[in-house]
Amino acid sequence: MNTETIDNIKMIAETAREFAEKNIRPNIMEWDESQTFPKELFHQLGEMGFMGIVVPEQYGGSGLGYHEYVTILDEISQVDPSIGLSVAAHNSLCTNHIYEFGNEEQRHKWLPQLASGKVIGAWGLTEHNTGSDSGGMSTTAVKDGDEWIINGAKNFITHAISGDIAVVMTRTGEIGAKNNSTAFVLEKGMPGFTSGKKENKLGMRASETAELIFDNVRVPDSHRLGEVGEGFKQAMKVLDGGRISIAALSLGTARGAYKAALKYAKERHQFGKPIADFQAINFMLADMATEIDAAELLIQRASTLKNAKQKMTKEGAMAKLYASEACVRISNNAVQIFGGYGYTKDFPAEKFYRDSKLCTIGEGTSEIQRLVIGRDITK
């Protein structure tokens, strides 16, 4: 990166940090305990330009690149990973899918609303019986004149209740057939389009997760993204960028846990000195710092390729795999350094620990990342 880009990233980091400290930190545990999705906060994030980060300015976005995007997610997630998760899902899934595969009319219709944060985006791929096996989805779309009739349900969907616009993958061919999926944009208020059960989660509790339900929802053909049968291919390309998002979320979560543990280790005294001076704790902190730097370098490599519009499937999967698993290890060690206090809600370690696990599951499990990497290196 050149000097101008580095200076711009530093300025963006400071802006995101100040926003998070002022508007997010005071509410962390209240939102977590009540599982409140603070929708108004996301309108404010939109005013900051954080809800359409990589969307070009001509569509109302900030027109930034993936290095800046990662920086924003990192800073927000250091304070509250659940808010970082929702920012990531809105930007990289729903909004990015429309930008990457929508036509000009569709981009101008939906992207300005999403980028402003005035409307919240959701993205529907996962189903109750088809998690990683998304090619066998049961949600169907059947053509009826100039409309499509959609039936089925999606689960584990971020913003399923509070979202205003959802990009939904449907099956338009036979189960197991090639090119059997098509993507549509659905708007809340369409008859038959509702939300269902809200999940009671271990972590990321301020990021809303629930079902999307489709009961004979009539969708105009003008809401179809791309050609019939291209939905699954589109989703896989969207997830390439989504892996950078979850890697950045993991990085911020890990960094937040590490900073809390480092501060505590310097302040906590045992046997007449800070526990950070004891080799067992010192080595633990050293490993945590090293893994954070390694994760960041993998993320920056994937981001550079993404900015250059080069293939980065393997690199994105590597960044997501390593960063997410490092995040769990680092958050676990943070609890250990805090000792008994790490097991209480009076200190931040326990929440980072609970939040961290989602990073190894969301937008492709660690096992799926290894599958993606393995296929790439052996083909």
Side-chain angles (χ1 to χ4, degrees):
M1 289 182 282
N2 57 40
T3 302
E4 183 180 352
T5 301
I6 292 172
D7 289 343
N8 189 44
I9 288 173
K10 287 181 179 178
M11 182 182 67
I12 289 170
E14 184 178 350
T15 302
R17 190 180 308 125
E18 289 176 355
F19 180 89
E21 290 294 337
K22 179 182 178 181
N23 298 284
I24 299 175
R25 190 175 294 283
N27 305 295
I28 293 172
M29 293 313 296
E30 178 186 345
W31 292 339
D32 183 75
E33 294 284 350
S34 63
Q35 299 198 72
T36 297
F37 175 68
K39 193 169 183 178
E40 181 58 37
L41 176 77
F42 290 86
H43 299 327
Q44 295 175 320
L45 285 163
E47 294 173 1
M48 298 289 292
F50 292 170
M51 297 295 275
I53 300 169
V54 298
V55 174
E57 293 180 15
Q58 70 190 90
Y59 305 118
S62 297
L64 299 173
Y66 270 77
H67 294 298
E68 293 87 349
Y69 176 48
V70 166
T71 298
I72 292 166
L73 287 181
D74 180 3
E75 292 294 341
I76 290 174
S77 302
Q78 287 182 48
V79 176
D80 189 345
S82 60
I83 303 303
L85 173 62
S86 278
V87 172
H90 175 95
N91 274 277
S92 72
L93 298 180
C94 177
T95 304
N96 191 50
H97 197 138
I98 294 172
Y99 169 60
E100 291 285 352
F101 299 103
N103 57 38
E104 284 301 299
E105 182 181 350
Q106 292 168 333
R107 288 174 173 178
H108 283 288
K109 178 177 182 179
W110 289 304
L111 290 180
Q113 301 176 64
L114 289 162
S116 71
K118 292 178 181 177
V119 303
I120 305 298
W123 193 75
L125 176 64
T126 303
E127 298 184 358
H128 294 79
N129 295 317
T130 56
S132 298
D133 181 21
S134 51
M137 69 180 76
S138 58
T139 297
T140 58
V142 178
K143 190 77 182 296
D144 183 29
D146 292 331
E147 296 181 320
W148 295 79
I149 301 175
I150 298 178
N151 282 285
K154 302 288 182 178
N155 76 328
F156 298 142
I157 306 304
T158 305
H159 310 148
I161 298 171
S162 298
D164 306 285
I165 293 173
V167 174
V168 177
M169 265 54 66
T170 67
R171 182 166 54 80
T172 48
E174 297 300 319
I175 291 178
K178 289 185 177 181
N179 304 320
N180 71 342
S181 174
T182 305
F184 295 90
V185 178
L186 275 65
E187 297 172 330
K188 280 298 176 71
M190 287 180 166
F193 179 33
T194 58
S195 53
K197 175 191 173 186
K198 180 179 178 180
E199 302 295 341
N200 185 8
K201 299 182 296 183
L202 169 71
M204 302 287 191
R205 290 163 62 85
S207 180
E208 173 189 283
T209 306
E211 294 176 310
L212 288 176
I213 299 171
F214 319 102
D215 182 11
N216 290 318
V217 183
R218 286 189 168 270
V219 181
D221 189 58
S222 61
H223 284 225
R224 172 173 48 82
L225 293 173
E227 298 300 320
V228 174
E230 290 184 347
F232 183 74
K233 292 178 181 177
Q234 293 176 8
M236 293 305 100
K237 290 179 180 177
V238 167
L239 286 173
D240 277 351
R243 291 179 185 126
I244 293 177
S245 298
I246 300 301
L249 170 66
S250 303
L251 177 66
T253 305
R255 210 190 299 271
Y258 165 71
K259 285 183 175 179
L262 178 62
K263 181 176 183 291
Y264 180 81
K266 289 179 177 180
E267 295 173 349
R268 172 73 166 171
H269 282 66
Q270 292 285 278
F271 305 102
K273 60 181 180 179
I275 63 172
D277 289 349
F278 290 99
Q279 190 179 72
I281 302 298
N282 195 263
F283 279 14
M284 197 180 296
L285 290 166
D287 287 342
M288 294 160 78
T290 302
E291 288 195 284
I292 286 170
D293 277 9
E296 185 169 19
L297 288 169
L298 285 169
I299 294 166
Q300 296 299 350
R301 180 180 68 167
S303 297
T304 298
L305 292 171
K306 183 68 175 174
N307 283 340
K309 300 187 183 302
Q310 295 181 21
K311 185 176 182 296
M312 40 69 66
T313 301
K314 179 190 71 176
E315 290 79 6
M318 285 180 167
K320 197 271 189 187
L321 172 64
Y322 184 83
S324 63
E325 297 207 335
C327 174
V328 173
R329 289 191 295 269
I330 290 165
S331 300
N332 177 62
N333 284 340
V335 173
Q336 194 70 17
I337 289 170
F338 272 88
Y341 293 113
Y343 207 65
T344 72
K345 292 183 181 293
D346 295 325
F347 291 84
E350 67 85 28
K351 184 176 183 299
F352 284 119
Y353 182 55
R354 288 187 289 109
D355 288 348
S356 68
K357 189 55 192 170
L358 182 278
C359 297
T360 66
I361 299 170
E363 295 192 35
T365 63
S366 291
E367 291 70 32
I368 290 296
Q369 305 313 312
R370 290 185 171 94
L371 180 65
V372 170
I373 296 164
R375 282 177 175 173
D376 191 281
I377 63 178
T378 57
K379 67 181 180 182

